[in-house]
Amino acid sequence: QSALTQPASVSGSPGQSITISCTGTSSDVGGYKYVSWYQQYPGRAPKLLIYGVTNRPSGVSNRFSGSKSGNTASLTISGLQSDDEADYYCSSYSSGTPCVFGTGTKVTVV
Amino acid sequence: QVQLQESGPGLVKPSQTLSLTCNVSGASVSAGDNYWSWIRQHPGKGLEWIGYIYYSGGTYYTYYNPSLTSRLTMSVDTSKNHFSLNLTSVTAADTAVYYCARGQGFLLEKFDYWGLGTLVTVSS
């Protein structure tokens, strides 16, 4: 099962909005409503940001939002802040294996 | 508050077996709808789902990543409320940070709690 495709890096200025894409196939992202997003700082464990495509766990800032269109899911970070600098991973249920992760995106705040 | 913590040797020799344990607090490994998972991250790389074990109707079931299934065994010790991973015949390609995590939902809707991770190096 191939990893979902994410851009290697995305950058933005403080206060801007950025969007990270996560492209799969009809066997994973496109076929199910089970896309989640994780934030990971260097040397730290991933943290759940979004699940079920659009849902935010309690305690996660509403600056993070998720969406999906066809085989591509997206994570939008609005009002970009310096502590949003991290790696971001999507994941999806897959009919091949229960879980496939994205390739990861490094977000830089310039 | 659910907490998970990995433990095990940080160095394993090639061809030997990698064994890790995840101690769970704040939740029971026997509770339904919890998919106790292992996920690894090769140095500088992305995340890879390894497998999960879950409890249903008096039995524990496992589901492994097809790429690892021939070398992988997961188990649970209810008396210690922990779950374990055994990966046989390891090579340098198994060097990674190994995380345990709680998955929710049969279709793994989310991994909501994670351990801190433990680095395992395969080297002679």
Side-chain angles (χ1 to χ4, degrees):
Chain A
Q1 181 67 36
S2 298
L4 307 175
T5 301
Q6 298 179 231
S9 62
V10 173
S11 63
S13 300
Q16 282 187 332
S17 293
I18 62 170
T19 297
I20 302 168
S21 61
C22 170
T23 301
T25 68
S26 58
S27 295
D28 38 62
V29 173
Y32 305 94
K33 296 181 180 179
Y34 296 105
V35 176
S36 51
W37 290 90
Y38 301 86
Q39 177 190 58
Q40 186 181 35
Y41 293 111
R44 304 287 295 273
K47 172 191 172 185
L48 177 66
L49 289 179
I50 298 287
Y51 67 96
V53 179
T54 61
N55 301 298
R56 266 189 319 275
S58 173
V60 172
S61 171
N62 59 9
R63 297 187 300 105
F64 296 94
S65 61
S67 62
K68 190 184 82 162
S69 178
N71 295 337
T72 297
S74 299
L75 173 71
T76 297
I77 308 174
S78 58
L80 199 63
Q81 300 177 358
S82 58
D83 63 356
D84 295 331
E85 278 207 348
D87 294 327
Y88 292 82
Y89 292 92
C90 61
S91 78
S92 174
Y93 175 78
S94 167
S95 58
T97 66
C99 176
V100 59
F101 284 97
T103 51
T105 298
K106 182 178 182 60
V107 168
T108 303
V109 181
V110 297
Chain B
Q1 175 76 353
V2 179
Q3 293 185 319
L4 297 90
Q5 183 165 353
E6 306 87 353
S7 61
L11 181 65
V12 180
K13 289 182 167 52
S15 80
Q16 294 191 341
T17 296
L18 183 164
S19 297
L20 296 174
T21 294
C22 180
N23 291 288
V24 180
S25 60
S28 170
V29 295
S30 300
D33 206 38
N34 291 329
Y35 294 78
W36 303 104
S37 301
W38 289 97
I39 295 161
R40 69 181 182 180
Q41 187 169 32
H42 296 102
K45 302 297 184 182
L47 300 165
E48 178 185 26
W49 177 77
I50 297 172
Y52 63 58
I53 187 165
Y54 70 99
Y55 180 82
S56 178
T59 302
Y60 283 93
Y61 297 90
T62 55
Y63 200 145
Y64 302 147
N65 187 317
S67 68
L68 297 169
T69 190
S70 63
R71 300 192 291 132
L72 186 59
T73 304
M74 294 178 63
S75 60
V76 163
D77 186 331
T78 57
S79 67
K80 297 180 180 177
N81 206 44
H82 74 208
F83 62 103
S84 300
L85 169 152
N86 276 357
L87 185 65
T88 63
S89 305
V90 297
T91 70
D94 295 307
T95 293
V97 174
Y98 285 76
Y99 295 100
C100 57
R102 186 179 80 166
Q104 291 268 279
F106 183 71
L107 299 188
L108 290 180
E109 183 179 19
K110 57 184 174 181
F111 296 105
D112 56 356
Y113 293 98
W114 296 65
L116 297 179
T118 186
L119 174 63
V120 178
T121 301
V122 178
S123 175
S124 55

